[in-house]
Amino acid sequence: MNAVKTGSHAASTLEKTPVRDLVDGKGQTSGAEWLTRYSTSLMGVFGTPQRVLVRGAGCLVWDADGKEYLDLLGGIAVNALGHAHPFVTSVISSQLATLGHVSNFFTSPTQIALAEKLLALTHAPAGSKVFFANSGTEAVEAAFKLARRNGASPDGTTGKRTKIIALEGAFHGRTMGALALTAKEAYRAPFEPLPGGVVHIPFGDVAALEAAIDETVAAVFLEPIQGEAGVRPLPPGYLKAAREATTKAGALLILDEVQTGIGRTGKWLATEDAGIVPDAITLAKGLGGGFPIGALLTFGEQTSSLLAAGQHGTTFGGNPVATAAALATLHAIESQRVLENVAAVGDYLRAGIAAVDGVTEVRGEGLLIGFDLDADMAPAVVTAGLDAGFIINSPGPHTIRLAPPLVLTRDQAGTFLAVLPAILQTAKDAQ
Ligand SMILES: *Cc1c(COP(=O)(O)O)cnc(C)c1O
């Protein structure tokens, strides 16, 4: 039989090879052995990984030494439905077995259906459009290029809008354009000069924003809740003021919902009750339920036509498997009433954390939670958490962040609350 004509691959022993045969033959390599191999073969940009994880199911993961963890970080707000979700897994597998990749000279039904679904979920006005990327930083990078086209002259050169505004504490990604929007000096300084014209203004200060916006500003980039800065929400009224000031000056208002979007706060978008319509939104992290995908949504006809044919592109963006993964994730969140769970378990966790001795402030919404400690011991708390079987994160020296799967149960949250005092005590003793 001719494989070309039948469209099938020839049967071979390759078909039944488990992944572990490709990596270590028996699945018996210890975490310490893996980390030795890691340090000799992987670039050191992430430091030493905390654990080597080999398997996950729901909100639980297991490391190479067989230890079990409750995952309260969810791959940093990525594993929206936990690990190995059966529905997402089956949709991804069946799409991969049907059509895994096509170039953007072509399109595929999952890409189109996902774009339509995202525009519907975000109540995007007529004429709104979607650009698919593969990560958060790429979605932001596309938004940066969109901003550069705002106010461009008819001959196609960029115009007088040379400035872009972002906030102190902002995190928008690590590629050069997104890095220019990111505020942290330690991330920026080694790579200067960065794409020009970005001005960082004080966080949450409406007067500073109004003073900074004029006709030379192309766009304002805002995170509704600054995630990497320790889960800091914008003050009430800020988004409305930003919308008014940007509209008046003809600047774009671009909301970076890479971390806060797709149900993280108990709503599809953190900003959906803010009473404003932005010009663009970036999404990524939770969108693919663990599969890499990013998206830039542009609102309205005018903004959506700023990037003309040929002015942006990507090889992988909008890939059939990634877009199928996102469709499956959105469908599961909708049909399993996951947003209600996010709100309820989030409230329960925040109340429980606030009652623990040594916690000075709790912030966030839904299952994006940050809390401050009365001492600079957050890294020690992360270590004590791991030893106790909980994956948590420290975005700052006295701040802990949780961004668990949106399907975390109240009982699972309760197991963390029960041991949190002991975890803090262990960290304190280690100081
Ligand atoms: C994580 C994050 C990014 C960058 O996303 P990557 O997928 O890591 O490139 C951008 N913006 C915000 C708000 C984020 O939280």
Side-chain angles (χ1 to χ4, degrees):
M1 194 89 76
N2 186 327
V4 172
K5 281 197 182 138
T6 60
S8 64
H9 289 286
S12 81
T13 53
L14 283 176
E15 281 177 20
K16 293 272 190 264
T17 304
V19 176
R20 69 160 197 275
D21 282 5
L22 300 178
V23 299
D24 70 351
K26 299 189 212 72
Q28 286 170 1
T29 307
S30 72
E33 289 167 314
W34 275 125
L35 287 179
T36 303
R37 287 168 63 177
Y38 179 99
S39 66
T40 55
S41 56
L42 274 293
M43 207 178 279
V45 293
F46 299 106
T48 303
Q50 291 164 335
R51 295 288 190 276
V52 180
L53 301 177
V54 296
R55 188 164 68 85
C59 298
L60 300 176
V61 289
W62 287 267
D63 73 14
D65 303 314
K67 186 174 166 69
E68 179 182 294
Y69 303 86
L70 182 65
D71 185 359
L72 296 175
L73 186 57
I76 317 186
V78 167
N79 299 102
L81 298 164
H83 300 270
H85 191 277
F87 176 65
V88 177
T89 304
S90 105
V91 169
I92 289 174
S93 306
S94 85
Q95 181 59 50
L96 186 57
T98 305
L99 185 68
H101 173 79
V102 296
S103 77
N104 280 308
F105 296 127
F106 302 88
T107 185
S108 62
T110 53
Q111 181 181 79
I112 297 162
L114 179 61
E116 291 170 348
K117 183 80 187 165
L118 288 174
L119 294 175
L121 284 176
T122 56
H123 307 291
S128 300
K129 298 282 169 64
V130 179
F131 173 81
F132 286 118
N134 312 288
S135 64
T137 202
E138 283 174 78
V140 171
E141 209 67 36
F144 196 111
K145 286 178 76 173
L146 184 85
R148 277 281 195 263
R149 300 304 303 156
N150 183 26
S153 57
D155 70 358
T157 57
T158 49
K160 286 186 303 230
R161 293 184 181 272
T162 50
K163 259 193 251 166
I164 294 178
I165 291 176
L167 298 192
E168 288 174 3
F171 183 86
H172 294 290
R174 306 278 208 147
T175 54
M176 293 303 264
L179 184 58
L181 297 165
T182 292
K184 197 171 175 174
E185 209 41 42
Y187 294 168
R188 301 168 55 88
F191 304 102
E192 282 168 352
L194 295 169
V198 179
V199 181
H200 288 93
I201 61 170
F203 176 84
D205 181 340
V206 171
L209 179 70
E210 286 169 348
I213 297 187
D214 59 25
E215 318 254 296
T216 67
V217 173
V220 176
F221 280 77
L222 299 174
E223 295 161 88
I225 302 172
Q226 288 190 337
E228 303 301 307
V231 189
R232 284 202 295 169
L234 283 172
Y238 189 91
L239 283 167
K240 265 214 155 115
R243 178 67 286 184
E244 273 164 34
T246 46
T247 300
K248 207 163 111 203
L252 302 177
L253 178 61
I254 300 175
L255 302 180
D256 185 348
E257 292 235 27
V258 164
Q259 188 156 160
T260 55
I262 313 298
R264 179 53 49 193
T265 64
K267 298 170 285 189
W268 286 111
L269 295 174
T271 50
E272 90 189 8
D273 299 333
I276 59 151
V277 179
D279 297 299
I281 295 180
T282 51
L283 297 170
K285 290 197 165 86
L287 177 56
F291 208 88
I293 183 168
L296 169 67
L297 278 54
T298 52
F299 279 18
E301 197 108 35
Q302 200 183 339
T303 306
S304 299
S305 55
L306 284 174
L307 286 170
Q311 289 185 335
H312 198 46
T314 160
T315 298
F316 292 117
N319 169 288
V321 181
T323 48
L327 278 171
T329 302
L330 298 176
H331 179 72
I333 291 174
E334 239 174 356
S335 61
Q336 308 295 300
R337 307 175 78 176
V338 169
L339 300 184
E340 288 165 42
N341 184 66
V342 172
V345 177
D347 285 347
Y348 171 64
L349 261 177
R350 259 186 304 280
I353 292 166
V356 171
D357 227 27
V359 172
T360 57
E361 186 175 276
V362 186
R363 295 177 298 274
E365 215 184 318
L367 285 173
L368 181 57
I369 298 175
F371 58 97
D372 288 344
L373 308 166
D374 60 5
D376 281 358
M377 59 174 198
V381 171
V382 170
T383 302
L386 281 171
D387 290 342
F390 297 90
I391 295 179
I392 58 178
N393 164 252
S394 61
H398 58 260
T399 304
I400 299 294
R401 170 176 52 176
L402 310 180
L406 307 181
V407 294
L408 185 77
T409 66
R410 189 185 161 95
D411 284 354
Q412 287 171 324
T415 63
F416 175 66
L417 293 176
V419 298
L420 182 56
I423 290 172
L424 297 187
Q425 191 56 53
T426 305
K428 204 155 252 177
D429 294 345
Q431 292 296 293

